[in-house]
Amino acid sequence: MKTRPIEKPTVASDVICEQDDGLANLKSSAATVDLRSIELIELIAATTDRLEAISLLVRFVGDQYPDCSVRCGIGAASMRRFMDRKLGWLGPASDLFQQAMRQWEDDPQTNRHPNENGERQSLANLPVDAQQKGFEDATSQDSLVRNSIVRINIDDDQGPGRCVLWIDGDSIKRKDRSWLRKTLPTVRSLLWHQSGTVTSHLLRRLGAYGASARLYLAISLVAFVILASWPVSYRVRCTSVVRPMHARVISAPFESRLEASHVKLGQAVAAGDVLMTLDGRPLRLELDSIDAQIAQVEKERDIALASGKIADGQQAKLRYRELNRKRDLLLGRLKRLEVISPIDGVIVSGDLDRSIGMTLEMGQAVLEVAPLDWMVIELEIPEAEIGFVSPDDDARVRLSSLSNTVIDRPIASIHPSAEIRDDRNVFVARIELENANNQLRPGMRGDAIAYGPVRPWLWSSLRKLLDNVIWWIGY
């Protein structure tokens, strides 16, 4: 199909200026409203897509001038999309697209007046005296009469966006175009302010700022991208508690009553020191009873043997052995009435001053003795984060009671099974360190950070959120 090449436009303005219209239509404030203007505005206002609005504009203008070719291009510094009324949207390989590209920068200054801030203004937005000067400059050109192409700029006043409408035909000079001229300010507002995607609106708003503001914004964006992709160690935040490394729990050796306590909480003890004394009176009474039974059984055995009753003598002998075992057990318990410390250390738990006179059950824990030269800091790692923590990973601990002290140590080991602590399922990791200045005390708590594998900063910050979203959508 042969297409007529686009000739160099003679007028590049938001308002169509021609000799036939003159300045009377501009100065007339009570001009009659054309129904075509209302219909065009309604069509464009009903759209939310900029390309669809341009398509409706080209078709509507083409219907008003059926003998003319109507084309429209949209872009910024260069034209990105181009539409012909008859052929539709054309790509960069089209001859018409290439011809329009050569005409894209042809923008006479008669309709583009910079303001004091360097922004572009169209004639429709200028004062009446400036508009009149623009019309006089435009109508003074002889090329308007010689050429048959009318060029209409529908550019964005607040951004870099540009839109150019070409009307090509010999009959265009004889057609009434005043309705289109009056419609252009509204069309421009709808085209750039209402229609278009969120991205295009954002770019348009950015373009409204000055060059320095755009430069600062670009620098901030680049800095954010660099920061988001910067490799950092993934941080697993957890709680920590201090415990002694070699603690010994002292329990009651047998059921008895607590007679006396010889130590207090926090007292240092040595191996062999007496910690508490148990009441031995019930044991002595029972021992006397056993001794009496043993004497009776011995007599019964002797009588049975003397009378020749072998069976009765054997039963008496077995009873004698049973009573001797009970007697040995009682004697052993009487020797252990004084409970001693197995190691050197400090009483870290157990206050027996208020338990004197109470009955202690066998195996009941009453005291805990631990040396404080070496301590263990247990990190309570959440179950969801255990996959990012391994032995020998670095960790940082800050205890609440030692807020000015930061402990940096590698993780020595991680328990293979989880534990329930404070109604949470956690894995316990251990950090071993020497307590040279005795600042660490059992039971101290604080916060800790375990440094896992190296990942981008943005991934490390949003991993939990992404996992929750993926789980929520069902993956």
Side-chain angles (χ1 to χ4, degrees):
M1 177 184 296
K2 283 188 175 183
T3 57
R4 184 174 182 177
I6 301 178
E7 302 177 13
K8 183 177 180 180
T10 58
V11 178
S13 66
D14 297 331
V15 181
I16 305 175
C17 306
E18 57 182 74
Q19 290 178 338
D20 298 338
D21 294 339
L23 299 178
N25 292 332
L26 177 66
K27 297 179 180 179
S28 177
S29 60
T32 304
V33 177
D34 198 308
L35 294 179
R36 292 175 294 181
S37 302
I38 299 177
E39 185 177 356
L40 177 59
I41 293 173
E42 289 178 348
L43 287 175
I44 297 179
T47 64
T48 57
D49 184 73
R50 187 169 296 153
L51 297 181
E52 182 182 359
I54 291 176
S55 178
L56 292 175
L57 174 64
V58 171
R59 292 192 179 95
F60 187 86
V61 174
D63 292 341
Q64 308 308 315
Y65 308 107
D67 298 333
C68 301
S69 297
V70 181
R71 297 160 186 153
C72 185
I74 186 171
S78 61
M79 186 174 66
R80 294 192 301 266
R81 301 297 299 270
F82 180 74
M83 180 180 181
D84 183 84
R85 178 203 173 196
K86 297 179 180 179
L87 302 179
W89 292 101
L90 302 178
S94 172
D95 293 338
L96 287 178
F97 190 98
Q98 297 298 328
Q99 293 175 11
M101 279 291 296
R102 291 191 290 270
Q103 304 286 339
W104 187 254
E105 296 299 333
D106 185 12
D107 195 6
Q109 296 297 323
T110 56
N111 75 320
R112 303 181 69 82
H113 299 270
N115 59 14
E116 60 181 3
N117 296 325
E119 300 175 347
R120 298 175 302 175
Q121 286 188 321
S122 64
L123 290 177
N125 297 331
L126 293 176
V128 176
D129 55 349
Q131 293 185 18
Q132 181 176 355
K133 184 179 184 301
F135 276 117
E136 292 173 354
D137 294 340
T139 55
S140 64
Q141 300 183 18
D142 297 334
S143 58
L144 177 63
V145 180
R146 291 194 302 266
N147 297 327
S148 60
I149 297 179
V150 173
R151 169 174 175 159
I152 304 173
N153 280 42
I154 318 177
D155 299 343
D156 184 11
D157 293 332
Q158 299 181 2
R162 296 185 60 192
C163 180
V164 179
L165 180 67
W166 291 281
I167 305 177
D168 184 6
D170 296 333
S171 61
I172 189 63
K173 297 189 296 296
R174 301 185 298 272
K175 298 289 184 176
D176 176 29
R177 302 190 302 278
S178 60
W179 66 275
L180 183 58
R181 180 176 66 246
K182 299 173 184 178
T183 312
L184 286 182
T186 306
V187 170
R188 178 189 299 105
S189 177
L190 294 174
L191 186 64
W192 295 106
H193 293 259
Q194 175 174 322
S195 61
T197 60
V198 176
T199 303
S200 62
H201 282 297
L202 179 61
L203 293 177
R204 186 184 62 81
R205 290 182 179 274
L206 293 178
Y209 294 97
S212 58
R214 292 195 295 270
L215 177 61
Y216 293 148
L217 182 61
I219 294 175
S220 302
L221 181 61
V222 171
F224 175 77
V225 171
I226 295 175
L227 179 63
S229 59
W230 193 264
V232 296
S233 296
Y234 179 66
R235 300 185 176 186
V236 177
R237 301 186 179 275
C238 51
T239 57
S240 61
V241 58
V242 178
R243 300 188 186 279
M245 181 178 294
H246 306 290
R248 293 292 185 271
V249 177
I250 310 300
S251 58
F254 48 85
E255 183 177 354
S256 179
R257 188 176 64 88
L258 179 63
E259 183 176 293
S261 174
H262 305 288
V263 294
K264 295 183 179 180
L265 191 64
Q267 179 179 341
V269 296
D273 290 348
V274 178
L275 303 179
M276 60 182 179
T277 302
L278 302 178
D279 186 7
R281 287 177 296 177
L283 297 177
R284 296 186 184 95
L285 292 176
E286 187 176 357
L287 180 62
D288 292 341
S289 175
I290 294 295
D291 289 339
Q293 294 180 25
I294 290 175
Q296 182 180 357
V297 169
E298 285 180 346
K299 291 181 180 180
E300 292 177 355
R301 183 192 60 182
D302 294 340
I303 294 173
L305 292 175
S307 61
K309 297 179 180 179
I310 305 301
D312 293 342
Q314 290 180 349
Q315 289 182 357
K317 183 178 180 180
L318 293 176
R319 179 64 178 165
Y320 176 78
R321 292 175 59 183
E322 180 184 359
L323 292 174
N324 275 317
R325 294 289 184 271
K326 289 183 177 180
R327 184 175 185 276
D328 293 340
L329 178 62
L330 292 175
L331 291 175
R333 289 184 175 180
L334 287 173
K335 294 178 181 179
R336 291 185 294 167
L337 291 177
E338 292 184 345
V339 180
I340 62 177
S341 174
I343 59 174
D344 298 338
V346 176
I347 306 298
V348 295
S349 67
D351 187 4
L352 301 181
D353 291 339
R354 294 179 297 180
S355 301
I356 296 177
M358 295 181 59
T359 301
L360 304 179
E361 297 180 358
M362 180 185 299
Q364 178 181 349
V366 291
L367 293 174
E368 183 177 1
V369 181
L372 302 182
D373 51 347
W374 282 86
M375 306 296 289
V376 173
I377 300 179
E378 295 183 348
L379 307 184
E380 300 174 352
I381 302 174
E383 183 181 8
E385 304 285 358
I386 189 59
F388 301 97
V389 182
S390 303
D392 298 330
D393 287 346
D394 293 332
R396 171 169 292 188
V397 180
R398 186 187 297 272
L399 300 174
S400 301
S401 56
L402 303 174
S403 57
N404 297 328
T405 303
V406 177
I407 301 173
D408 293 318
R409 289 289 190 279
I411 295 176
S413 61
I414 300 177
H415 291 184
S417 59
E419 301 180 11
I420 302 296
R421 293 191 178 182
D422 298 332
D423 297 330
R424 296 185 301 125
N425 200 32
V426 298
F427 285 84
V428 178
R430 292 165 55 92
I431 297 178
E432 301 176 358
L433 70 161
E434 185 178 3
N435 188 19
N437 50 8
N438 291 327
Q439 286 186 335
L440 300 179
R441 295 289 180 178
M444 288 183 175
R445 302 191 67 89
D447 298 324
I449 299 177
Y451 295 92
V454 176
R455 293 290 187 272
W457 174 82
L458 186 62
W459 180 91
S460 299
S461 302
L462 302 180
R463 189 197 71 82
K464 293 183 180 179
L465 178 61
L466 293 177
D467 287 348
N468 293 335
V469 171
I470 292 174
W471 174 257
W472 181 76
I473 63 180
Y475 287 95

